[in-house]
Amino acid sequence: MPHRPNRTVLLGLAALSLLVGAGVAWAATGRERSLAVYPAQHMPLRFDHAQHLEAGAECVTCHDAARTSQSPKDRNLPGHEECETCHDIDAARKGKPTDPPSSCTTCHPGFDPTVRMEPAKLLVPPANLRFSHQQHVEKKVDCTVCHGEMKDVQLATRQQLPKMATCFTCHDGNVASNTCKSCHPTEASGRLRLTFDSGLLRPMQGNPLGLDHGPRYEFNHGPRATVDRLTCQQCHSESYCQTCHDGMQKPLSVHPNDFITLHPVQARAGTTRCESCHRAQSFCVACHERTGVGMDADASLRPRNLKVHPDYQAWVEIIGPQHHGIAASRDIGSCISCHREESCTSCHSSLSTRRQVNPHPAGFAQACKRLAGANDRACLKCHTPESLAEKGCR
């Protein structure tokens, strides 16, 4: 009795085949053409480019209209008129022998004129590009430069349409323009149009700019956006970036789980990165107050087993290495994550009813008039115009 694999083995093999197939499909994306640039085609034809080239045909024999074409919307494919140069279609329709073969089924497999009068139609949508064949012909660009050698190609498909890397051999900024707008349609804003009926325009694997917008790109696009922001702005506006970076709603893919516990380490290491999304005085302070960390938090929320600052005497009263003024002068960013400006002015303002501690160093009065004369907005946070005049700062 032959051995029959059990159901678990069959399922495992099926899963493995799916994974292998997905891997092959993913690897092939580097050679694929973007549907947003070249929409899908349907070409129910039988044709052999290699055979026609061997017979002495040239590109312009069948595609003569391409020499004067100025738009991708032009249909530069041969019709019966071009085919009849060599194929006697009328004789074949009458049942006469022809050489080369010229019956309908020579090019339209499965077509039976007794069943229907017209063969299946070709669907070849125009490319979503700005392009002029005529301009390239006038520049003496050979057809094979963009479409490759056809001597081994039967029916040409989207695979014979040029990729951006091919275009960049000439469009290098010297021989021809290399700006995105040279070839790609734009919106009224001047940015590239990204959405088409056939797909979404996005850089694919193997693109010459090295901007593969694959599944992980949202996690590693930051460094590239930092060093090459102008390239990003060809497609994306600041408002597009702010949909994730405004700090109003945290995308679950940005921070790991339990990030609230871990975020102080990263905040201390790179506050600039945090501030690209979050404002310390509105986002950080408000959250810290709600959770009992901030100075103005409700007393019932404050933890009883945690201590942020040194003892009160060393932190407030005694001028020394642990004094809060020294810490603030070194890293005011850490202070403003929990304290608002009012926290400082409650003691360091001449308007305070709590206590008035002069924060200025010795000899500051000699420079106050010059500083206030340049910009007294900072002065008026703690002083009235009258008190500034009394001190000789006005």
Side-chain angles (χ1 to χ4, degrees):
M1 185 176 218
H3 173 70
R4 298 179 63 183
N6 61 37
R7 187 170 182 270
T8 303
V9 173
L10 290 174
L11 290 175
L13 291 174
L16 179 61
S17 64
L18 287 174
L19 289 173
V20 172
V24 172
W26 176 249
T29 58
R31 301 185 297 273
E32 185 54 75
R33 271 68 177 163
S34 168
L35 288 171
V37 178
Y38 303 123
Q41 302 173 348
H42 178 61
M43 301 181 69
L45 285 177
R46 181 189 292 121
F47 190 82
D48 193 330
H49 275 87
Q51 184 178 2
H52 284 72
L53 291 173
E54 290 176 0
E58 298 180 350
C59 297
V60 294
T61 304
C62 300
H63 302 282
D64 183 62
R67 294 193 291 183
T68 56
S69 172
Q70 298 182 10
S71 169
K73 295 182 179 180
D74 296 336
R75 189 179 179 87
N76 297 314
L77 299 176
H80 279 185
E81 182 178 352
E82 288 80 10
C83 297
E84 285 175 337
T85 304
C86 300
H87 297 270
D88 194 345
I89 298 177
D90 286 338
R93 284 175 175 170
K94 296 175 182 178
K96 297 180 180 180
T98 58
D99 185 22
S102 306
S103 66
C104 296
T105 56
T106 301
C107 297
H108 301 282
F111 171 61
D112 185 355
T114 62
V115 177
R116 55 181 181 178
M117 297 303 296
E118 295 291 336
K121 291 185 178 181
L122 276 67
L123 177 62
V124 186
N128 295 314
L129 290 172
R130 294 173 174 171
F131 187 81
S132 170
H133 274 92
Q134 182 182 33
Q135 186 176 2
H136 286 73
V137 170
E138 291 173 352
K139 295 290 185 180
K140 308 297 182 183
V141 179
D142 193 81
C143 302
T144 58
V145 172
C146 298
H147 298 288
E149 295 286 348
M150 292 291 185
K151 60 184 180 180
D152 297 321
V153 176
Q154 292 183 338
L155 181 66
T157 65
R158 295 168 67 251
Q159 291 300 114
Q160 278 66 52
L161 296 173
K163 297 193 71 176
M164 190 162 63
T166 303
C167 302
F168 271 21
T169 57
C170 294
H171 288 268
D172 58 358
N174 296 316
V175 177
S177 172
N178 63 351
T179 62
C180 302
K181 301 175 184 178
S182 300
C183 300
H184 292 282
T186 57
E187 302 282 6
S189 64
R191 293 186 178 85
L192 300 190
R193 180 183 172 187
L194 303 181
T195 305
F196 299 88
D197 292 339
S198 57
L200 178 67
L201 180 66
R202 61 190 302 168
M204 299 174 67
Q205 189 178 28
N207 72 88
L209 297 179
L211 291 174
D212 176 20
H213 284 33
R216 296 289 301 173
Y217 194 67
E218 64 176 303
F219 297 100
N220 55 33
H221 71 282
R224 186 60 186 263
T226 301
V227 301
D228 196 7
R229 197 171 188 84
L230 291 179
T231 299
C232 302
Q233 290 177 340
Q234 297 292 313
C235 297
H236 304 291
S237 64
E238 289 291 338
S239 60
Y240 177 88
C241 302
Q242 289 302 317
T243 56
C244 289
H245 290 284
D246 62 356
M248 298 298 293
Q249 181 175 355
K250 182 193 75 173
L252 297 179
S253 60
V254 175
H255 297 312
N257 291 335
D258 196 27
F259 188 71
I260 292 179
T261 302
L262 304 173
H263 80 280
V265 177
Q266 291 195 17
R268 284 182 174 274
T271 55
T272 303
R273 183 179 180 184
C274 301
E275 289 170 358
S276 64
C277 294
H278 307 290
R279 291 184 178 181
Q281 283 291 280
S282 58
F283 183 88
C284 300
V285 174
C287 183
H288 289 171
E289 289 178 355
R290 290 195 302 271
T291 54
V293 179
M295 177 179 177
D296 296 327
D298 188 279
S300 62
L301 298 175
R302 294 179 185 174
R304 297 177 176 82
N305 59 341
L306 296 177
K307 193 173 185 180
V308 177
H309 301 310
D311 293 335
Y312 181 83
Q313 292 294 323
W315 184 245
V316 177
E317 301 292 349
I318 303 173
I319 304 298
Q322 290 188 312
H323 191 267
H324 72 280
I326 304 298
S329 64
R330 291 173 177 168
D331 185 13
I332 191 70
S334 296
C335 303
I336 63 175
S337 63
C338 290
H339 301 285
R340 300 181 187 273
E341 194 174 62
E342 293 79 2
S343 303
C344 303
T345 57
S346 63
C347 293
H348 293 295
S349 170
S350 63
L351 308 176
S352 174
T353 57
R354 181 177 174 183
R355 57 186 299 184
Q356 296 182 7
V357 180
N358 184 4
H360 299 306
F364 182 79
Q366 300 175 2
C368 73
K369 188 171 185 178
R370 174 176 56 82
L371 295 173
N375 184 2
D376 63 358
R377 292 182 64 184
C379 307
L380 294 173
K381 290 287 184 180
C382 297
H383 303 281
T384 63
E386 293 76 17
S387 66
L388 288 178
E390 292 176 1
K391 296 177 182 296
C393 297
R394 274 195 166 189

